[in-house]
Amino acid sequence: MQALVLAGGQGTRLRPLTYTTPKPVIPLAGRPFLTFMLDWLRGHGVNEAILSCGFLSDGVRAVLGDVYGGMRLRYVVEDEPLGTAGPVRLALDEGVLAERLLVLNGDVLCDMDLTAEIARHEQTGARCTLALIEVADTASYGVVPTHPDGSVERFLEKTDGEVPTNRINAGAYVLEREVVEALVPAGRAVSFEREVFPALVGDGLYGWHADGYWIDIGTPERYLEATYDLLAGTVPSALAPRDETGSLIGPGCLTAGARIGPQSVLGAHCSVGSGAVVDRSVLHDRVQVGADCEIRSAVLAERVRVGDGARVEAGAMVGEGARIAPGAVVAADARIDPDTAVEAGEALA
Ligand code: GTP
C-alpha cells in the first residue's frame, strides 16, 4: 500500500517553532512528529510513503532520510504551495502514484483503524473514502454529514451554530488515482476540501466512521495536549518509559537539584540548574535553563538559553536559539522569535 503525506504547509499557527523547523519534523515527545505517523501507517500495511513537501523540504529529508523502518520514503517537492490536492497531481505527473493510495494530512496524531477504512472503501466501491471522526466541539472544523449508505451528503463550513453531526474530516483518505486524473488540474494550487470533494458528492464519495484517538497538532495548545497524551499513554506509541513524574528525559541531560515534571519532556543534552522548576513543559534538544528558573506549560525550542531566576509563563513558545536574560519574564502566551534576546525588565507578550 502507498501513502502520500501532505507535509508542505507553512504551519503558521505553530510559529515560532515552524520558522526554523518544518511542522512534520518538529519534536513531539522527543521524536520527529512524522515518525509517529509513519509507525501508524506501517502498522496498516503501508510500505511506501510519498512525502509531499515544499516549505523547508530539505529539513524534512535531512531528518527522515529515504528509508524508515523498512518503509521506502519518496519526496515530491513543489516550487510553489499547491494546497492539499495539487501535490497529489504533482506526484501523478511525476509518475510515482499507485492506482489506489492513502492521502494523509501530515499533522495528525491518531490511532484510527486504516485497515478497516480500506476494507470499507472496497466494500462500497467508492472512488474516495474519507475518515470521519467525532469531536466534542465542532466550532473550529467543518462537519460532514453522510447518508445511511455511507455516501457523503455535503460539506458544511465551520459554524458556532447547530450542526447535523459532529463528525469532521479527519484528514485520512483512501483515493483512486483516476480521481486525481479526472478532477485535479495540473499546475496550480487545488484544495481537496473546497474543490475536489464537493465535486465528488453523489459521485463516489463515501465517509467511514472512525473512532479512537485523533488530534491535529497544528496549534500550540494542541501540540501540548498531544504531548501530555503521549506521556500518559492515552494514545499508543513506542515511547521510552516515562519517569515517576510522567516525564521523559532525553540522553545526556543534566538536572541535578532541579524539579522536572509532571508531564515534561527534555530533549537530548539539556541542562536545568538547581532550584529550577520545569512543569508540564517541553524543552527541545540542547536547551539550557539556569538555576532557580520557572518554566510552566511552555515550549522552548532547540538551543534556547534561559538565565538564572528567569520565568517563562504558561502557553509561551520560545523560538530556536533565543536567549532569555537572568531574571527576565516571558509572559503567558508570548511568542519569542528565533535568536531573539529577551532582556530583564522587558515586557514581552
Ligand atoms: P497553518 O499555516 O498553521 O494553517 O498550517 P499548515 O500550513 O500546515 O496548514 P493546514 O494545517 O491547513 O494543512 C493541513 C496539512 O496539509 C498539513 O499537513 C500541511 O503540511 C499540508 N499542506 C498545507 N498546504 C500545503 C501545500 O501547499 N503543499 C503541501 N505539500 N502540503 C500542504
Side-chain angles (χ1 to χ4, degrees):
M1 191 76 193
Q2 182 185 66
L4 183 147
V5 181
L6 292 164
Q10 294 201 19
T12 52
R13 289 166 299 162
L14 264 189
R15 288 175 178 165
L17 304 183
T18 45
Y19 279 127
T20 46
T21 307
K23 185 162 67 174
V25 292
I26 282 183
L28 180 68
R31 287 171 45 181
F33 167 69
L34 263 190
T35 62
F36 292 101
M37 174 169 272
L38 294 174
D39 286 346
W40 168 61
L41 291 173
R42 198 176 38 180
H44 290 282
V46 171
N47 54 6
E48 179 182 84
I50 302 172
L51 302 180
S52 161
C53 308
F55 181 69
L56 297 179
S57 61
D58 292 347
V60 180
R61 192 171 199 148
V63 172
L64 296 176
D66 295 318
V67 180
Y68 176 82
M71 189 189 293
R72 178 174 186 190
L73 304 184
R74 284 175 184 268
Y75 294 82
V76 171
V77 179
E78 61 217 55
D79 299 329
E80 295 291 325
L82 291 176
T84 48
V88 189
R89 175 76 208 201
L90 182 63
L92 172 81
D93 293 339
E94 292 194 1
V96 295
L97 223 54
E99 210 164 300
R100 174 181 295 161
L101 68 151
L102 292 160
V103 177
L104 293 313
N105 276 359
D107 54 1
V108 168
L109 177 70
C110 67
D111 63 356
M112 297 185 302
D113 185 356
L114 282 177
T115 305
E117 182 177 5
I118 296 165
R120 179 83 184 140
H121 179 82
E122 285 174 358
Q123 204 180 28
T124 57
R127 299 172 76 194
C128 179
T129 301
L130 314 179
L132 303 176
I133 189 101
E134 226 162 2
V135 292
D137 179 9
T138 60
S140 43
Y141 304 97
V143 299
V144 188
T146 49
H147 293 293
D149 70 349
S151 57
V152 169
E153 191 186 316
R154 59 200 159 125
F155 284 83
L156 290 168
E157 294 292 328
K158 42 180 127 155
T159 163
D160 288 333
E162 282 280 293
V163 284
T165 171
N166 51 0
R167 289 210 173 255
I168 63 157
N169 173 2
Y173 322 127
V174 189
L175 182 68
E176 298 296 317
R177 185 173 65 196
E178 60 81 13
V179 171
V180 187
E181 287 160 349
L183 292 179
V184 185
R188 68 166 172 91
V190 184
S191 159
F192 271 124
E193 299 81 352
R194 285 189 299 276
E195 292 182 59
V196 182
F197 295 154
L200 266 183
V201 170
D203 195 15
L205 185 65
Y206 282 76
W208 166 74
H209 285 189
D211 50 31
Y213 183 89
W214 182 91
I215 192 169
D216 92 77
I217 61 140
T219 66
E221 298 71 28
R222 292 201 293 263
Y223 172 83
L224 280 175
E225 197 182 329
T227 302
Y228 304 147
D229 287 344
L230 279 165
L231 291 174
T234 309
V235 52
S237 75
L239 278 192
R242 275 69 80 196
D243 68 12
E244 65 285 356
T245 75
S247 300
L248 199 56
I249 314 287
C253 289
L254 301 171
T255 61
R259 206 178 83 211
I260 313 293
Q263 291 181 298
S264 294
V265 179
L266 268 55
H269 304 291
C270 292
S271 64
V272 183
S274 92
V277 174
V278 175
D279 170 11
R280 290 170 62 85
S281 292
V282 176
L283 277 50
H284 293 172
D285 292 350
R286 290 188 287 280
V287 170
Q288 295 174 19
V289 174
D292 302 317
C293 292
E294 276 184 39
I295 316 289
R296 303 215 183 257
S297 305
V299 181
L300 310 184
E302 204 169 318
R303 291 184 296 101
V304 164
R305 278 183 288 156
V306 185
D308 292 350
R311 219 167 64 221
V312 182
E313 297 184 336
M317 290 199 132
V318 183
E320 191 171 313
R323 294 172 308 285
I324 315 298
V329 177
V330 175
D333 297 321
R335 304 282 175 261
I336 308 297
D337 283 352
D339 296 316
T340 310
V342 177
E343 304 302 337
E346 210 176 332
L348 268 166

